[in-house]
Amino acid sequence: IRLSSVGILDVLTYEQGHTDQASLMAQYQQEDLSALGRLILCLACNSLMAVQNLQGAMEVLQTHYTGDLKNIVAYLLSSQMGRSINNVMPMIGARFFSQIDALNSQLDLAEVELMKELQNGRLFRLLCKLGVVNERPELNLIPSWSETGDRYLLKLFRDYLFHQVTEDGMPWLSVSHIVHCLNQLDAGSPDKVCMVSRDEQAVLIVSYQDLKHCFESTFQEVMSGALVGQATASTRPEIVDSELSILPPS
C-alpha cells in the first residue's frame, strides 16, 4: 500500500497562532496512529463499517490473520498516551526481510528491463543512421554518391548484416548475428569482417573500427547536407543532429 498526499490536511489546517507547537504535534501524531489503526482494520475486514464494531472486527482479525496484525491494530487503537510508531516496528520486524527481498528483486528486474531498453535504443539509432546513408539516391548533386568511397563499404556491410545466405543460396536469418555485428560496429572493435559484393567480383576485409570511422564521417556528411538544405529551404523537415531528431517545419 502506497499513501500519497500525506500532510496536506496539516498544511491546510495549520494554526499559526498556536504557541505550543510541540504538544500540538504530539497530539496530531497520536491521532495519526489511531487513524492508521482504523485504516488497517477497514482494509483487513474489507468494510468501512468495521470501525463501528471493533469487537467483531477484532474477532475477524483473530480468525483470518496472524496474531501480529491483531496486536498492531489493538496497539494503534488503544487509548493509552505515549504511543509511538517506533513501538510498532518491532511487531513486524520479522517481515522486513521478506519485504526487502521483494524490493531488491523488483529493483533487479527493473534494471534488467532498463538495460534492454537502453540497448534497443542504441541499436535503433545505429540502424536509423545506416538506413539514412545506404541507397541514398544522391547527395550534393552526385547521383552515385552512395555507391562510391566509404558509402560502398557501408553498403557491403548492410548486405553482410541483413542479406546472409546459406551454402545452397537460401536466406540465413539470425537476430543474434545482427545484434552482434551492430555491437561490434558501435564499439569500433578491431575484429575484421570479410564482405563480398553481390556480383562476387569484390572481396573486402576491413575492421569494425575502420567501418565505424567510415560510418560516422559519412553520416556527418549527410547531416551537413541537411543543414545546408534547411538553411535554403526552411519549410522542409530535416535530420539535423546525431540523435536523429526530426525538426518540425518552420
Side-chain angles (χ1 to χ4, degrees), residues 189-234:
S189 171
D191 295 346
K192 298 184 181 298
V193 56
C194 180
M195 301 181 297
V196 183
S197 62
R198 295 182 179 181
D199 57 6
E200 299 183 354
Q201 297 300 311
V203 178
L204 299 178
I205 300 177
V206 62
S207 67
Y208 284 101
Q209 185 175 7
D210 294 334
L211 275 174
K212 182 178 181 180
H213 175 73
C214 296
F215 179 58
E216 291 178 346
S217 62
T218 301
F219 186 74
Q220 288 295 329
E221 187 176 352
V222 176
M223 286 177 56
S224 300
L227 290 174
V228 173
Q230 185 188 20
T232 56
S234 59

